[in-house]
Amino acid sequence: MLSISTKERCLRERSAGSRSGQAWYLDFLAAFLIFVFSLVFFFTQTSNFQSKEEGTLAKTVSDAQSISSQLLLSGYPTDWTNTTVLRIGIADNNLLNITKLNQFHSLDYTFSRIKFGTTNDYLVFFADSNNTVLNINGTCGTGKPSVISDPIGGNCAPINITSKTELAKNERYIGHNSSIIKMVVYVWH
């Protein structure tokens, strides 16, 4: 008799133990699913942030290239003024047109950004072969008013906007007064 009751007790303990083991298995499965879901969510969100950052930097670089390309053309119409301009251009036959440069400089900054098709800030200036900013007709540059300084004693101060975020730079060469100068376009977000 003693052996039978011990057998029954062992069977009862096993079946009770296996039920509690199933409960542990379900807890483990729920925790594992929550963990996997959290990882998937985290990596999805992180990759979205990275692609968004890469997208804005690519847009900034594209805007710098677009603005510099537009400026090296004559603009539209070719004899544009501040009231008739559809596309801004400051060059004729790869030579700097001072009249168009003055028109460009006198344009409203927000209006010029619309004409360039950008929401980014920009700065355009000219430099010689030594990277000295040139004073052309009393201006050191055109673009975001807060980064442009007026010439002091006829000389322009060096331009330093490297502290801006997502900064793109594009350089092009253009003829001016029987020499070749560099047109520098900075665009930032």
Side-chain angles (χ1 to χ4, degrees), residues 67-76 78 80 87-105 107 116 124-126 136 142 174-176 181 183-185:
I67 290 171
S68 65
S69 293
Q70 286 182 52
L71 289 174
L72 287 181
L73 299 173
S74 298
Y76 187 80
T78 54
W80 63 271
R87 185 176 58 222
I88 303 168
I90 58 171
D92 290 323
N93 299 321
N94 295 323
L95 296 173
L96 185 62
N97 183 319
I98 298 300
T99 304
K100 291 180 181 182
L101 180 64
N102 290 337
Q103 291 283 347
F104 173 47
H105 184 69
L107 282 175
F116 286 135
V124 178
F125 63 93
F126 298 93
I136 299 179
T142 302
I174 188 169
H176 175 64
I181 60 172
M183 179 181 73
V184 181
V185 177

Side-chain angles (χ1 to χ4, degrees), residues 47-183:
S47 66
N48 284 345
F49 288 139
Q50 290 173 348
S51 64
K52 198 180 291 184
E53 288 174 7
E54 290 171 3
T56 53
L57 182 58
K59 172 86 169 91
T60 306
V61 169
S62 174
D63 283 352
Q65 292 171 342
S66 175
I67 290 171
S68 65
S69 293
Q70 286 182 52
L71 289 174
L72 287 181
L73 299 173
S74 298
Y76 187 80
T78 54
D79 58 345
W80 63 271
T81 64
N82 289 355
T83 56
T84 64
V85 64
L86 296 176
R87 185 176 58 222
I88 303 168
I90 58 171
D92 290 323
N93 299 321
N94 295 323
L95 296 173
L96 185 62
N97 183 319
I98 298 300
T99 304
K100 291 180 181 182
L101 180 64
N102 290 337
Q103 291 283 347
F104 173 47
H105 184 69
S106 66
L107 282 175
D108 175 66
Y109 176 66
T110 305
F111 179 74
S112 66
R113 284 177 36 185
I114 292 169
K115 291 300 176 187
F116 286 135
T118 185
T119 56
N120 292 321
D121 291 317
Y122 74 88
L123 172 67
V124 178
F125 63 93
F126 298 93
D128 62 13
S129 59
N130 298 322
N131 289 324
T132 304
V133 179
L134 298 175
N135 174 358
I136 299 179
N137 276 9
T139 60
C140 293
T142 302
K144 180 86 172 164
S146 62
V147 296
I148 301 170
S149 59
D150 290 329
I152 300 170
N155 296 321
C156 297
I159 306 264
N160 184 9
I161 57 172
T162 55
S163 62
K164 306 297 182 188
T165 58
E166 296 180 14
L167 179 67
K169 178 181 179 183
N170 197 292
E171 296 179 351
R172 302 286 180 103
Y173 293 92
I174 188 169
H176 175 64
N177 289 344
S178 301
S179 63
I180 297 176
I181 60 172
K182 185 178 356 180
M183 179 181 73

Side-chain angles (χ1 to χ4, degrees), residues 2-15:
L2 191 49
S3 66
I4 293 175
S5 67
T6 310
K7 255 188 192 179
E8 288 176 12
R9 194 170 7 138
C10 279
L11 288 173
R12 275 188 238 154
E13 285 177 7
R14 271 192 200 160
S15 63

